[in-house]
Amino acid sequence: MFFSLRKHASKLIAATLAVSTMASISAAALDQPVAMLSSNLNASVGTVLTSDQINTAEQALSKAEAEAKAKAEAEAAAKAEAEAAQQAAANKPSSSQQSSSSDLLTAPVSAKTVAYSSSLLATDSIKNNSTALGNYKLTFYCPCEKCNGVAGAQTASGTTPTEGRTIAVDSSVIPLGSRVYIEGYGVFIAEDTGGAIKNNKIDVFVSSHDRAYELGVQYANIYLLD
């Protein structure tokens, strides 16, 4: 009887020490089997252990397991919190992006020569802070009678058409007065309409008929700036 009791207690103590050591490394170590007893524990087999000592060993084992489990849960919670914060930061537009988008909405749209430039491709700021309308067909018109029906006509919104600022749109799709980013060309204002300008088509104003003929027909992604 005493031999059986000593053998049971020795195994409990060995398991307690093994779990305590493994808990300091990681909770996963709890699943690893105890391969052997230490030399100190082997030497103690000849000692008669009481029931209280066995209970103490069992309690120590339970405590070590609980502490290891709590540590693993805390580490998992901290990791999940860090990942959530990282994801939130990645999804949130940076302050520089927001500032750039604000500039596009408020800065004056001045006259400029209409020409494609790779430096005017849509940035992440534009894509994240605007409504993508898709790929549009671009045509070009000038102030002449052939393009307008009447030479020197005003725009549908009552402004004087200006190259680099004025575009004609389907106002049921793009409201007059809206700021529109044409990828590769920059920011324009929807100031005009036209009988042939429907759906995904935009007519870009330029200063002369030669310029309109030279530019011909183009295609570009369109963003409605919000």
Side-chain angles (χ1 to χ4, degrees), residues 82-104:
E83 289 176 348
Q86 184 178 11
Q87 185 62 39
N91 293 336
K92 183 179 179 181
S94 66
S95 58
S96 61
Q97 286 183 335
Q98 293 173 337
S99 175
S100 177
S101 176
S102 177
D103 291 343
L104 292 176

Side-chain angles (χ1 to χ4, degrees), residues 18 22 29-36:
M22 290 185 290
L30 289 173
D31 295 329
Q32 299 176 4
V34 178
M36 60 178 65

Side-chain angles (χ1 to χ4, degrees), residues 168-203:
V169 300
D170 182 345
S171 59
S172 68
V173 179
I174 301 175
L176 288 177
S178 299
R179 292 196 175 208
V180 176
Y181 195 89
I182 302 177
E183 187 166 39
Y185 294 88
V187 181
F188 294 81
I189 298 179
E191 295 182 325
D192 210 356
T193 58
I197 310 304
K198 300 296 182 184
N199 301 317
N200 60 335
K201 181 179 179 181
I202 288 177
D203 215 8

Side-chain angles (χ1 to χ4, degrees), residues 55-75:
N55 289 336
T56 299
E58 289 175 336
Q59 291 171 1
L61 175 61
S62 297
K63 180 180 179 181
E65 290 175 336
E67 290 176 348
K69 182 179 179 181
K71 181 179 179 181
E73 290 176 348
E75 290 175 348

